[in-house]
Amino acid sequence: MEIKVLGPGCAKCVKAEKLVKEVLEETGLDASVEKVTDMMQIASYGVFGTPSVIVDGEVKCTGKVPKKEDVIAWITK
Amino acid sequence: MKNRSNIRLVRKNESALMLNFFMGAAGVVLWWMIYRQLPELSKWLTYGLLQIGKGSHLGESIEFFLYDTPKVMMLLFLVVFGVGVIRSFFTPEKTRAFLSGKSEFAGNIFAALLGIITPFCSCSAVPLFIGFVTAGVPLGVTFSFLIAAPMVNEIAVGLLYGLLGWKVAALYMGTGLFIAIAAGWVIGRLKLENHIEDWVTQANMAAAEMEEEKLTWNDRFIYGWDAVKEIIGRVWIYVILGIAVGAGIHGFVPEGMMASIMGKGTWWSVPLSVVIGVPMYSNAAGIIPVVEALLGKGASLGSVLAFMMSVIALSLPEMVILRKVLKPRLIAVFVCVVACGILFVGYLFNMVLYDGSDILFSNITTLYNKLLGLLSSF
């Protein structure tokens, strides 16, 4: 599984990345997490807000730090 | 089986909603009772408990601080929660879809209005900008949105209403909207589309496909509550600092001194306010207690509004962020147009309110009362 966290590096974006890593550690699932900070790349995903979380190319949430339950649901499905 | 458990779930949600509603109502009553006691409480704390001389500079400052801190915090709490709930109805995606078919002038107006309530954090300004421009929202309309968002800060409106009354709040909101609409329109007329960085126009992106979330009222209340935790957690330190500065001004700056620096008669007070305001990076919540104290010391409303708007709307970090998508000339135009708007507002208020501030206000009051009468007759 491939997870991308999009965000230029504000407090919320850092929080989102931390949350995703936390969930991975707790569930023991194997997935790569990549933080995307480049604006051009962020724009190419078609999101209007950061932080955004993308799981296997699918945009899961934009413009907010997701809830923990949601992250668990995305990656255990 | 599944149906029945669904029904049970709905019932459970309904009772949770009722419970939240009653707790909320009780909370509001309690809030109001404490809020009304604040002037007495701050006096008692300053002069009774701390035994500071009545009428002394220190006493005035401490009373201001002890009164304003809980007051601003309580107001913030209520305003941020309310705004959070309202914002749960709007998303940047919906706003873009709405704006992309609009003609220019109407588009500027809608964009400015939507800029106030659409939630997005300042570091999302760039993806948002790209999203709008590539969807065919005209550049000027996009700017109306981007200017209104920080300029007319809904938290500032709420705080101004609580601290300085509805007239100042309405003036602030009205003029802020005017600047956002006019500045966006001017930028649109100037045809600066080729001053957007090239990669932006080549991006040609479509909005990401996502299922739209269906929110219940319970979800919206949670959204409001999250906004309270997030925003107050972030701004409280600015608020305390702002109130401390305000308290210092209130207690130690002599009456009328501000009249000579930020007064109505001095022509340079408005541009000076803007020049001082731009490098100061504070947020609305922190700057308003300072504004309150400045007004109390004889500063004029026009200069103070200009100061506040330039602090909030023209910040250096924002320019740095926007540089990623705009070429320097467009940034310069953006700053100039917005600064001109702020100067205009500053001079307008200093002029209109020169010796007959109450004339304007009483006219507005009459109009307001007439409107109320009209509404109640239905």
Side-chain angles (χ1 to χ4, degrees), chain B residues 98-162:
Chain B
F98 179 79
L99 287 178
S100 60
K102 296 284 170 294
S103 71
E104 226 169 65
F105 188 62
N108 288 113
I109 296 172
F110 285 125
L113 288 170
L114 285 167
I116 304 176
I117 37 177
T118 307
F120 74 99
C121 84
S122 66
C123 53
S124 297
V126 167
L128 203 82
F129 178 86
I130 301 166
F132 276 34
V133 170
T134 50
V137 177
L139 187 64
V141 175
T142 306
F143 266 103
S144 281
F145 180 86
L146 281 180
I147 295 167
M151 175 93 93
V152 188
N153 185 299
E154 64 296 325
I155 293 167
V157 174
L159 283 184
L160 283 174
Y161 172 75

Side-chain angles (χ1 to χ4, degrees), chain B residues 134-317:
Chain B
T134 50
V137 177
L139 187 64
V141 175
T142 306
F143 266 103
S144 281
F145 180 86
L146 281 180
I147 295 167
M151 175 93 93
V152 188
N153 185 299
E154 64 296 325
I155 293 167
V157 174
L159 283 184
L160 283 174
Y161 172 75
L163 296 175
L164 297 167
W166 67 268
K167 290 165 186 167
V168 178
L171 282 179
Y172 164 73
M173 194 164 134
T175 51
L177 275 176
F178 169 76
I179 293 177
I181 293 166
W185 190 78
V186 169
I187 290 174
R189 293 295 91 205
L190 292 174
K191 300 267 173 258
L192 294 162
E193 276 76 2
N194 51 342
H195 289 282
I196 303 172
E197 287 290 348
D198 299 328
W199 67 271
V200 175
T201 30
Q202 284 155 15
N204 193 22
M205 70 178 208
E209 272 177 51
M210 250 179 64
E211 265 182 70
E212 206 188 311
E213 283 179 285
K214 289 209 171 56
L215 296 176
T216 63
W217 273 102
N218 237 349
D219 294 333
R220 298 191 195 282
F221 287 142
I222 294 170
Y223 196 92
W225 183 241
D226 284 344
V228 167
K229 282 191 287 187
E230 206 268 315
I231 293 178
I232 296 189
R234 191 158 42 86
V235 304
W236 68 270
I237 186 78
Y238 292 94
V239 174
I240 304 273
L241 282 174
I243 296 172
V245 173
I249 295 172
H250 182 78
F252 291 92
V253 173
E255 206 75 40
M257 184 189 143
M258 276 298 144
S260 57
I261 305 172
M262 292 179 93
K264 301 162 189 166
T266 36
W267 68 267
W268 41 265
S269 78
V270 175
L272 185 72
S273 303
V274 174
V275 172
I276 299 173
V278 175
M280 280 186 60
Y281 185 57
S282 175
N283 48 42
I287 206 72
I288 285 171
V290 179
V291 163
E292 185 194 5
L294 284 174
L295 282 177
K297 293 294 166 182
S300 65
L301 191 58
S303 311
V304 168
L305 269 179
F307 173 68
M308 187 170 82
M309 284 178 160
S310 56
V311 170
I312 303 176
L314 285 176
S315 73
L316 289 175

Side-chain angles (χ1 to χ4, degrees), chain A residues 60-77:
Chain A
K60 290 296 188 185
C61 92
T62 72
K64 63 176 180 209
V65 181
K67 284 191 204 120
K68 197 168 183 180
E69 307 94 86
D70 292 338
V71 180
I72 295 174
W74 299 334
I75 59 175
T76 52
K77 200 161 57 178

Side-chain angles (χ1 to χ4, degrees), chain B residues 24-104:
Chain B
V28 170
V29 173
L30 187 71
W31 185 97
W32 179 239
M33 278 159 61
I34 298 175
Y35 191 80
R36 283 190 53 184
Q37 295 305 316
L38 288 178
E40 295 302 316
L41 197 68
S42 61
K43 278 200 178 69
W44 177 77
L45 276 173
T46 316
Y47 306 115
L49 198 67
L50 294 172
Q51 295 284 328
I52 292 164
K54 224 171 188 167
S56 67
H57 289 311
L58 190 67
E60 296 266 309
S61 285
I62 290 180
E63 193 197 330
F64 183 95
F65 187 80
L66 290 179
Y67 173 58
D68 251 35
T69 309
K71 185 174 181 179
V72 170
M73 286 299 177
M74 287 177 80
L75 277 171
L76 258 183
F77 186 88
L78 211 64
V79 171
V80 171
F81 182 79
V83 168
V85 172
I86 295 171
R87 281 189 160 183
S88 69
F89 289 93
F90 295 84
T91 64
E93 286 80 7
K94 282 188 205 159
T95 300
R96 170 174 111 150
F98 179 79
L99 287 178
S100 60
K102 296 284 170 294
S103 71
E104 226 169 65

